[in-house]
Amino acid sequence: MTDMTENQRQPHIQGNSGAQAGYLSCPVCEAFCPVQAGPHCERCGAHLHLRDPHSLSKAAAYLIAAYILYIPANLLPVMHTETIFGAEDDTILSGVVVLLSTGSWPLALLVFFASIMVPLLKLFSLTLLLISSWRRSRWLPLPRTRLFRLVEAVGRWSMLDIYVVMVLVALVQFQSLASVYPGGGAFAFAAVVVLTMLSAQHFDSRLIWDTIETHHE
């Protein structure tokens, strides 16, 4: 039998977290403060805590509100247009249909993905993260952390429809034959985006790894 290599003889060493090393991260200035220094940050004076005790409840509250507003965001018109031929209301989905009927399928796919699929995927992703953390699941911690970082990164790009409506409102108001106004769906959609961003902001991703560290201790 061949001898074990030096690397194989070495025991597996697991990295320690900041809390295990005796440090806490400031939630305001992100400075690393020793636990012995007290309950306040040495740099900015903010209150220090190992984990936000209300992280899951705050994130869940924002997420539930986003789910509720997602319905009127897709049912109410996001844009109201008045011309000499009459008035017309357009929802996000009707706008996608109009773009498809005029042959602008790349733009239609972009609007559909950014304004309908991305917010829905964000809602489902945050739901998965919150439920798995609440149940203290040890299932795939690294992919779940990457999923959370992805949700954070794409948050601002969900505002594509709002950007388009506001640009149209600003441009068309210079014309005398037409007027464009944002509808109730635009405000509901903007609220959904903001609420999902707040939910992600209040979710402490370190909760994903706490169960793993406890399991290996």
Side-chain angles (χ1 to χ4, degrees):
M1 183 181 295
T2 59
D3 293 336
M4 294 174 59
T5 64
E6 185 65 23
N7 289 335
Q8 289 174 323
R9 293 193 188 101
Q10 294 293 333
H12 175 68
I13 300 176
Q14 183 173 348
N16 292 328
S17 65
Q20 292 172 332
Y23 288 88
L24 296 177
S25 176
C26 176
V28 177
C29 66
E30 298 184 350
F32 283 100
C33 305
V35 176
Q36 304 91 303
H40 298 282
C41 175
E42 296 177 325
R43 178 190 290 175
C44 67
H47 181 70
L48 298 175
H49 44 71
L50 179 61
R51 297 289 184 269
D52 184 354
H54 305 295
S55 172
L56 292 179
S57 59
K58 292 177 182 176
Y62 286 119
L63 185 61
I64 292 172
Y67 268 113
I68 295 174
L69 289 176
Y70 183 78
I71 298 174
N74 286 275
L75 296 181
L76 295 178
V78 296
M79 185 169 61
H80 176 75
T81 307
E82 294 181 358
T83 66
I84 58 175
F85 303 104
E88 184 178 358
D89 292 324
D90 290 301
T91 63
I92 296 176
L93 193 56
S94 67
V96 172
V97 173
V98 170
L99 290 172
L100 286 174
S101 63
T102 57
S104 303
W105 61 268
L107 184 57
L109 290 177
L110 177 62
V111 172
F112 177 79
F113 182 76
S115 301
I116 296 180
M117 292 304 300
V118 169
L120 195 59
L121 290 175
K122 282 177 58 182
L123 291 172
F124 290 161
S125 299
L126 287 170
T127 301
L128 172 64
L129 292 171
L130 289 177
I131 292 178
S132 60
S133 298
W134 174 67
R135 295 179 57 118
R136 301 183 61 81
S137 172
R138 296 192 297 268
W139 173 70
L140 300 177
L142 184 57
R144 280 191 288 149
T145 303
R146 290 173 176 169
L147 176 63
F148 173 70
R149 300 304 176 196
L150 180 62
V151 169
E152 280 190 317
V154 303
R156 62 182 66 91
W157 300 107
S158 301
M159 296 288 284
L160 176 64
D161 252 20
I162 305 304
Y163 295 149
V164 172
V165 171
M166 295 308 168
V167 169
L168 284 175
V169 169
L171 291 177
V172 177
Q173 298 308 325
F174 290 102
Q175 306 296 327
S176 59
L177 298 180
S179 297
V180 176
Y181 305 96
F187 298 105
F189 186 83
V192 170
V193 175
V194 172
L195 287 169
T196 52
M197 292 174 66
L198 288 173
S199 179
Q201 180 181 355
H202 283 84
F203 174 70
D204 193 342
S205 60
R206 296 174 297 178
L207 294 172
I208 298 174
W209 296 93
D210 283 349
T211 307
I212 307 298
E213 293 175 358
T214 305
H215 179 69
H216 285 283
E217 288 179 354

